[in-house]
């Protein structure tokens, strides 16, 4: 690696099973991203509503939700930070890292 970056042995990388994406029977909220405690991640719920309002298919919402979930899990296992989400206007959900 360059720039004195720490090398990681990806063979031993353990990705936590943080949260889950659940399908609902609600056509206005077809998927929900839940935190480990079962609570809906609100900034992501708002983002999903924006996607649907823009005419995106529920399958797109599912795809984006799975991507966010994988990204969140990756951040948790590769950083020494706490991961949180917030809404940034037109920018959509922003995943933030905060020092533990």
């Amino acid at each position: 690696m360059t720039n004195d970056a720490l090398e990681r042995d990806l063979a031993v990388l353990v990705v936590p099973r943080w949260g889950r994406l659940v399908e609902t029977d609600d056509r206005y909220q077809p998927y929900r991203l839940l935190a480990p405690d079962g609570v809906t991640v609100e900034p992501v719920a708002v983002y999903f509503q924006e996607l649907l309002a823009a005419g995106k298919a529920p399958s797109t919402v599912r795809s984006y939700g799975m991507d966010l979930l994988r990204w969140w899990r990756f951040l948790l296992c590769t950083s020494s930070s706490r991961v949180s989400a917030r809404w940034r206007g037109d920018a959509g959900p922003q995943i933030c890292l905060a020092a533990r």
Side-chain angles (χ1 to χ4, degrees):
M1 294 191 134
T2 60
N3 298 333
D4 297 324
L6 296 176
E7 290 192 33
R8 296 185 192 266
D9 184 0
L10 297 180
V12 297
L13 183 67
V14 177
V15 179
R17 299 288 302 174
W18 185 97
R20 59 196 168 112
L21 186 70
V22 296
E23 186 174 9
T24 70
D25 290 328
D26 183 353
R27 73 180 207 172
Y28 299 108
Q29 189 179 30
Y31 293 93
R32 272 190 254 150
L33 185 65
L34 303 179
D37 59 4
V39 175
T40 299
V41 180
E42 286 302 320
V44 175
V46 172
Y47 180 58
F48 287 174
Q49 290 172 354
E50 292 285 331
L51 289 172
L52 293 169
K56 303 299 182 195
S59 60
T60 299
V61 174
R62 181 187 182 281
S63 178
Y64 284 25
M66 292 302 294
D67 289 344
L68 284 169
L69 185 58
R70 281 190 288 271
W71 179 240
W72 218 304
R73 288 174 176 173
F74 176 77
L75 289 176
L76 285 169
C77 72
T78 59
S79 70
S80 59
S81 302
R82 179 178 51 82
V83 180
S84 63
R86 67 180 173 216
W87 186 254
R88 296 241 1 209
D90 293 338
Q94 179 180 32
I95 295 176
C96 305
L97 297 174
R100 284 186 177 168

